[in-house]
Amino acid sequence: MVKESYSELDKLLGLEVYASDTEGIGGRIKLSIEDFIVREISLEGVKCSPSALFNESSGDYVWFVLEKRGVDTVTALRVVARKLGLSSKIFSAAGLKDSKAVTYQLACAKDVSPKDLKGFVGASGKVKIHRAFRRPFKLKPGMLYGNEFEIKIREVHLSPEEAEVRIKKILNELGEIGGVPNFYGYQRFGTIRPNTHIVGLHIIRGELKKAVEELLFHVYPEEPERSKIARRNLRDSLDFNDALTYFPRRLHQERMMIRYLANHPGDYIGALRSLPIEVRRLFIGAYQAFLFNKMLSLRLKRGLSLSRAVPGDIVIVFEDKSKTSVKGIMRVNDANVDKVNEFISRGICSLALNVYGYDTIPARGVQGEIEKEILKEQKISVRDFKIKHMPELATKGMLRVASFMPEDLKYSLDEECVMLNFTLRKGMYATVFLREIIKPEDPLRAGF
């Protein structure tokens, strides 16, 4: 039996349920950045660290281990570029890592010397570079196996014995239902201003004025007071020229749109297009993530397993049990359902759900009904993802595995904290697993 979330933020992001019914242990994560350590694992299985050894080669691209503390990946690479007098466009990374953490990940740059990068220290020690080496090809997003996490949960107001009992029960329940629901985590949407997906919905519907107003005017309770005042002033005055004198400079995206609207009044599509295309794609991706979360929540509410398929479901077929290479997809029907579930139990297949796009092939059966229900509720169709008024943001959609279990999970407890070590494959969120363990009433206060 799934458990309803207590959190309004969870409901806003489609995270409506927990897969485990046992009460969480409570507590807080990320009280210090050293409480949340992430080491990216390369495709060849090497864990990033200052001493990691990678196979070196020759070529125009220099790969390196980027260490960052308390900053996001994009900002860290900009720090490197600015200090070395380089364009940030020559840098790339396999994945974007949490800002409230100590992280080690691969990044690369073209047409630079390893000597220029080795030993780099910037942003008062928050950004460092290790192990620079050449390779003949560019590091692109998604070129990683996954991430290793070392996490401490503090302020757990239970005895270690009681906390351990709850953790064991939660893990058992997750195993019975088929794993941790593979929700998109909080960082996909934002927690201070959890509206990335709302902007995406407005863009998809063609409500461009509403999208701009959501980005500029909507005040959220947890944002800084100066930002709240600036947003209210602009909403009331609509004086975009004047707004440039008082809008906080750290609100880069808002200022870009304000500057555009000061020169092009009423051109809302132009204001949105003043933002980098990567940012605009994030809006669409966040809305896709919201829909996926809603769909997965509804499936769990209907009492359906995440590790057993029913007729109408779709499964991903892998080349082998390592699940690193996809062989194809398969529709489940009355004739093959038993065989498919045998393959799932052997690790050859995984249940998958649609991440909506204009090329989405709908599920059938119960899952198909869930999909229709959500699209009707949202007043959209898959065709809307062609985004005819902004076709550069069109997205085909994809399939996403419905559940996961952390690999190599270890945990220990003492009077001060609960310590967890585990590995997740790419695209899976540690915070989604931690959410099941903690079950926070207030995710923001709990460090999410």
Side-chain angles (χ1 to χ4, degrees), residues 194-411:
N195 66 347
T196 316
H197 63 300
I198 297 171
V199 176
L201 171 60
H202 288 319
I203 292 173
I204 286 169
R205 286 180 177 168
E207 301 167 346
L208 305 178
K209 182 181 179 182
K210 287 184 178 179
V212 171
E213 289 174 344
E214 175 66 37
L215 284 166
L216 294 181
F217 302 159
H218 195 136
V219 172
Y220 285 85
E222 300 299 331
E223 61 184 312
E225 194 60 32
R226 186 183 171 200
S227 299
K228 292 179 182 179
I229 292 169
R231 294 184 194 282
R232 291 182 183 122
N233 284 345
L234 178 57
R235 180 195 62 202
D236 295 341
S237 71
L238 294 179
D239 188 336
F240 293 99
N241 278 301
D242 186 46
L244 288 171
T245 66
Y246 61 76
F247 241 75
R249 295 202 173 273
R250 59 180 182 75
L251 299 180
H252 306 294
Q253 296 175 17
E254 287 90 337
R255 290 180 63 86
M256 291 171 75
M257 289 190 297
I258 290 168
R259 189 174 292 109
Y260 183 90
L261 288 168
N263 296 317
H264 306 86
D267 183 2
Y268 299 108
I269 192 168
L272 289 166
R273 280 195 167 123
S274 72
L275 299 175
I277 191 168
E278 294 81 8
V279 173
R280 287 182 281 140
R281 284 178 177 152
L282 283 177
F283 298 141
I284 305 304
Y287 184 59
Q288 290 175 296
F290 165 76
L291 293 175
F292 181 89
N293 285 356
K294 288 277 289 184
M295 188 193 315
L296 190 49
S297 291
L298 196 49
R299 183 181 177 95
L300 289 164
K301 287 181 179 180
R302 297 279 166 86
L304 296 175
S305 171
L306 301 183
S307 62
R308 286 192 63 80
V310 296
D313 282 340
I314 301 171
V315 297
I316 294 175
V317 184
F318 299 100
E319 291 285 354
D320 53 44
K321 291 183 180 181
S322 70
K323 297 184 178 182
T324 54
S325 180
V326 174
K327 188 175 183 179
I329 65 170
M330 185 187 303
R331 268 194 190 280
V332 183
N333 54 45
D334 291 325
N336 67 12
V337 63
D338 291 335
K339 181 59 71 173
V340 168
N341 282 320
E342 179 192 335
F343 288 159
I344 291 175
S345 67
R346 289 164 51 189
I348 299 171
C349 294
S350 288
L351 176 69
L353 305 184
N354 276 312
V355 176
Y356 290 119
Y358 65 80
D359 242 4
T360 291
I361 299 172
R364 297 171 185 161
V366 180
Q367 185 60 37
E369 292 303 314
I370 290 172
E371 291 185 5
K372 290 177 186 176
E373 185 177 329
I374 290 173
L375 290 173
K376 183 178 180 180
E377 176 193 279
Q378 295 289 305
K379 300 177 181 178
I380 61 166
S381 74
V382 294
R383 295 187 300 276
D384 293 329
F385 285 91
K386 287 191 174 180
I387 316 179
K388 293 180 180 178
H389 49 279
M390 208 177 281
E392 66 271 24
L393 303 184
T395 176
K396 291 183 176 182
M398 63 179 188
L399 290 169
R400 179 175 172 85
V401 171
S403 65
F404 67 88
M405 282 300 284
E407 301 173 8
D408 304 320
L409 173 63
K410 302 179 184 68
Y411 61 89

